[in-house]
Amino acid sequence: MAKQTVADQLVETLADSGVRRIYGVVGDSLNPVVDAVRRTDRVEWVQVRHEETAAFAAGAEAQITGRLAACAGSCGPGNLHLINGLYDAHRSMAPVFALASHIPSAEIGSSYFQETHPDRLFQECSHYCELVSTREQLPRVAQSAIQHAIGQGGVGVVTLPGDIAGQEAADKPERHALVTGRPTVRPADDQIDQLAHLVEQAERITLFCGAGAAGAHDEVMRFAGRVHAPVGHALRGKEWIQYDNPFDVGMSGLLGYGAAYQATHECDLLILLGTDFPYNAFLPDDRPGVRIVQVDVRPEHLGRRCRLDLAVWGDVRETLRCLTDRVRPRTDRRFLDRMLKKHADALEGVVKAYTRKVEKHVPIHPEYVASVLDEEAADDAIFTVDTGMCNVWAARYLTPNGRRRVIGSFSHGSMANAVPQAIGAQLTDRRRQVVTLSGDGGFSMLMGDFLTLVQYDLPVKVVVFNNSALSMVELEMMVGGLPAYGTDNHNPDFAAVARACGAHGVRVEKPKHLRDALREAFRHDGPALVDVVTDPNALSIPPKIQAEMVKGFALSASRMVLDGGVGRMAQIARSNLRNIPRP
């Protein structure tokens, strides 16, 4: 019987930690690991066309399942390609193990062919990054990388020379229990006491929720109902908080809509729940009379965006469970009702831009595409969203319901993430609908991995918002008073490209054909692409603009904007108004 190799040992450890597949591109220094995967039925090798795709796919799988996912790159250029996707996974707190294969160990430091120093290069996008220099090191180094990735939420990197990976493993090490999940964090009693005291003193309370509110929907709703607080959200909090929310006042920030901005500025106590919201110009940091509390499971996030009156280290769910029954129920709804009315009025005011002759407008309004897509997609669909204007349409049109998921490069802001993330999302469940909102720039940047969808017959539905331009960049140029330059894309017929690859492809140039094209793609048993020619002049601005917010953000100098129709959110806002007691 053949002896176990170091590569076998690594693959076995990953499998024991919950890894189901490794995404990557095969190559010389990585061959022992790939061969170890070939010889086991516990882990699958997923061959992609670019290692950046591998890292994005692993990050998406980790976000969907909550389990550790893995990717790998061969020495030098191979593992360097991982870095952008690993930055995204790390900033999204997705537990990912990355294997950076390395040149022969005896050649390290000699400027050998393809030599880099992965143990240095990946430091900034990981919690743990170490080089394995001997076969005896591998078990403990791999275990440490896994536990950092799962325990802290992010990336753990192991650099493994190919010659060491192929060596016979050292005597089988003693088995250690591996971390497979994160604990809940309960705040200290004195922090709960201080928070309860601030709540009791406040007359107008607003909650603003981010991705850290995942799993805490019921607790947020119960607390909001007890103190009659409007509830706003950041983009990454949308899928967890907006649904079944009678206190919803929309989203703040650069892609915002509704009354979230007003609610956060007109309150006297703002409670930030699980958000590392980066745009401090949208927070009442210097507004007199507004006290700010932040609750976060990661203490390094506390206070780094704005000044705080109280920092609470804990899970959102555990914090609210401890807090809610300790504060008195309120009877005064005036602030909440006023914000709900502002929210409904704001959405009513912009919905006309979306509805006016939209079914006859050519080129097609991208808002219309997003709205129809929201209506036709499955109730448990996973959406992956490209960075840029697709973020705007997803934020304003995709309707969460507690079962849908929305994945994007929302913290890192990379182009070309949607199709790679869809690969990882679809492999978690081939029966679940996965839909991309892809910009033509993002899609074409990593278009080679559309072939991965075909190769593995993954039934991902790629919807390309094709306006033949880098629209967000054009807007940035307008902000600086510059003419648009270098932003035009000379695109092929993407649907024809899809068909040439062996997938279903259809091109839509008229609004009346859109719904049938989407339905046909959704019915197709396999990968499908819908290439929708959209209006390049459809722009977007936040609902509240001040001079300091404009810097670095896309704002049209000519004010040629469609101020974001908001799909079904207008109907939701109107229904929430029914909760307001009538005199």
Side-chain angles (χ1 to χ4, degrees):
M1 181 176 177
K3 293 283 189 178
Q4 186 184 50
T5 67
V6 171
D8 291 326
Q9 203 171 64
L10 173 62
V11 172
E12 184 179 87
T13 300
L14 291 174
D16 289 344
S17 303
V19 169
R20 301 289 183 267
R21 54 193 64 83
I22 301 174
Y23 302 88
V25 178
V26 299
D28 47 14
S29 61
L30 197 54
N31 289 344
V33 175
V34 176
D35 191 60
V37 174
R38 178 185 66 82
R39 289 183 282 103
T40 183
D41 58 3
R42 299 182 67 195
V43 177
E44 175 188 9
W45 179 265
V46 179
Q47 177 188 346
V48 296
R49 303 305 174 104
H50 194 292
E51 290 90 349
E52 183 177 351
T53 296
F56 272 124
E61 179 184 325
Q63 290 179 71
I64 294 297
T65 65
R67 293 194 312 262
L68 183 70
C71 59
S74 59
C75 61
N79 62 58
L80 282 178
H81 285 161
L82 294 171
I83 199 163
N84 191 52
L86 291 183
Y87 262 98
D88 183 80
H90 194 58
R91 299 185 71 179
S92 300
M93 295 182 65
V96 170
F97 177 94
L99 175 63
S101 187
H102 206 7
I103 63 172
S105 55
E107 302 295 342
I108 295 173
S110 69
S111 296
Y112 190 73
F113 175 65
Q114 294 189 324
E115 181 174 9
T116 58
H117 291 88
D119 50 314
R120 303 177 196 171
L121 291 167
F122 292 97
Q123 289 283 352
E124 194 172 303
C125 62
S126 66
H127 292 301
Y128 182 91
C129 183
E130 291 294 343
L131 168 67
V132 174
S133 299
T134 70
R135 61 179 185 166
E136 289 82 6
Q137 276 183 276
L138 185 278
R140 283 189 295 173
V141 169
Q143 179 175 342
S144 292
I146 289 166
Q147 293 187 168
H148 276 78
I150 296 173
Q152 296 187 36
V155 174
V157 181
V158 170
T159 299
L160 179 63
D163 60 310
I164 294 178
Q167 290 177 5
E168 182 179 313
D171 291 339
K172 200 160 187 178
E174 182 181 341
R175 283 283 186 179
H176 293 283
L178 290 165
V179 169
T180 56
R182 300 179 67 194
T184 57
V185 179
R186 182 192 183 281
D189 288 337
D190 66 319
Q191 291 184 321
I192 295 295
D193 290 341
Q194 292 176 66
L195 179 52
H197 180 66
L198 288 175
V199 170
E200 291 296 341
Q201 286 185 318
E203 294 182 2
R204 302 179 306 280
I205 301 169
T206 293
L207 309 182
F208 187 71
C209 303
H217 181 275
D218 291 348
E219 287 77 10
V220 172
M221 296 303 112
R222 183 167 177 259
F223 180 74
R226 193 172 183 88
V227 299
H228 297 318
V231 179
H233 58 267
L235 177 56
R236 291 189 66 204
K238 175 184 171 76
E239 63 178 322
W240 308 113
I241 291 299
Q242 190 186 40
Y243 70 96
D244 294 340
N245 181 357
F247 316 104
D248 178 48
V249 291
M251 189 171 85
S252 191
L254 301 177
L255 311 183
Y257 55 82
Y261 180 90
Q262 289 89 342
T264 57
H265 283 69
E266 296 180 25
C267 63
D268 57 14
L269 177 62
L270 172 62
I271 304 179
L272 305 173
L273 295 173
T275 179
D276 193 35
F277 186 68
Y279 305 110
N280 57 4
F282 288 87
L283 295 172
D285 192 33
D286 57 355
R287 192 174 181 89
V290 180
R291 291 182 171 182
I292 304 177
V293 174
Q294 184 179 358
V295 179
D296 207 292
V297 72
R298 297 181 70 165
E300 66 271 24
H301 288 182
L302 295 169
R304 75 176 180 178
R305 303 303 184 195
C306 64
R307 55 96 184 161
L308 297 179
D309 294 277
L310 179 63
V312 179
W313 181 8
D315 293 337
V316 172
R317 183 170 61 181
E318 289 302 309
T319 301
L320 293 181
R321 283 178 174 176
C322 294
L323 175 67
T324 301
D325 288 335
R326 297 181 60 172
V327 299
R328 60 184 168 84
R330 304 292 177 92
T331 58
D332 186 350
R333 290 181 50 107
R334 286 176 296 177
F335 177 62
L336 170 61
D337 293 344
R338 183 159 58 86
M339 290 301 113
L340 291 175
K341 182 67 164 58
K342 279 180 177 284
H343 181 59
D345 290 346
L347 299 192
E348 289 284 0
V350 299
V351 75
K352 293 177 183 176
Y354 154 70
T355 56
R356 189 184 304 118
K357 299 182 180 178
V358 69
E359 295 186 0
K360 298 181 179 179
H361 186 87
V362 178
I364 302 169
H365 281 331
E367 298 97 326
Y368 179 65
V369 181
S371 180
V372 174
L373 179 58
D374 179 59
E375 293 170 2
E376 295 295 332
D379 286 343
D380 65 345
I382 300 171
F383 299 94
T384 62
V385 183
D386 263 342
T387 297
M389 298 306 292
C390 286
N391 270 196
V392 180
W393 315 136
R396 295 185 173 184
Y397 289 91
L398 297 185
T399 308
N401 58 13
R403 292 191 292 153
R404 286 179 164 181
R405 294 298 311 275
V406 182
I407 303 293
S409 186
F410 298 140
S411 295
H412 187 49
S414 174
M415 285 182 66
N417 59 286
V419 168
Q421 289 177 328
I423 293 170
Q426 190 70 83
L427 280 167
T428 66
D429 185 349
R430 287 176 173 269
R431 296 167 297 178
R432 189 172 181 183
Q433 188 181 80
V434 177
V435 184
T436 82
L437 278 69
S438 298
D440 57 297
F443 177 72
S444 58
M445 181 178 281
L446 287 176
M447 189 164 61
D449 269 296
F450 186 78
L451 294 170
T452 302
L453 300 181
V454 177
Q455 180 167 333
Y456 288 91
D457 195 28
L458 296 176
V460 171
K461 314 308 176 189
V462 177
V463 180
V464 181
F465 288 65
N466 183 1
N467 62 7
S468 298
L470 301 176
S471 298
M472 193 66 83
V473 180
E474 285 188 349
L475 289 169
E476 291 167 353
M477 290 180 172
M478 291 179 188
V479 171
L482 303 173
Y485 182 74
T487 58
D488 293 337
N489 290 331
H490 182 67
N491 292 326
D493 180 336
F494 289 121
V497 171
R499 292 193 296 271
C501 293
H504 174 85
V506 60
R507 185 174 172 92
V508 180
E509 297 181 353
K510 295 182 179 180
K512 64 182 180 181
H513 299 148
L514 175 64
R515 195 177 297 272
D516 285 343
L518 289 174
R519 288 177 176 176
E520 183 182 358
F522 290 163
R523 285 194 300 266
H524 180 72
D525 184 20
L529 183 145
V530 181
D531 180 11
V532 187
V533 180
T534 59
D535 188 350
N537 293 318
L539 310 178
S540 175
I541 61 171
K544 183 71 175 180
I545 290 291
Q546 296 174 1
E548 66 271 19
M549 299 176 187
V550 176
K551 186 177 180 181
F553 174 65
L555 176 64
S556 171
S558 64
R559 311 296 286 187
M560 285 181 59
V561 299
L562 292 175
D563 196 10
V566 285
R568 285 186 274 179
M569 284 185 281
Q571 285 76 26
I572 294 170
R574 280 195 291 267
S575 69
N576 282 344
L577 286 181
R578 300 185 189 121
N579 296 318
I580 298 177
R582 303 299 177 189

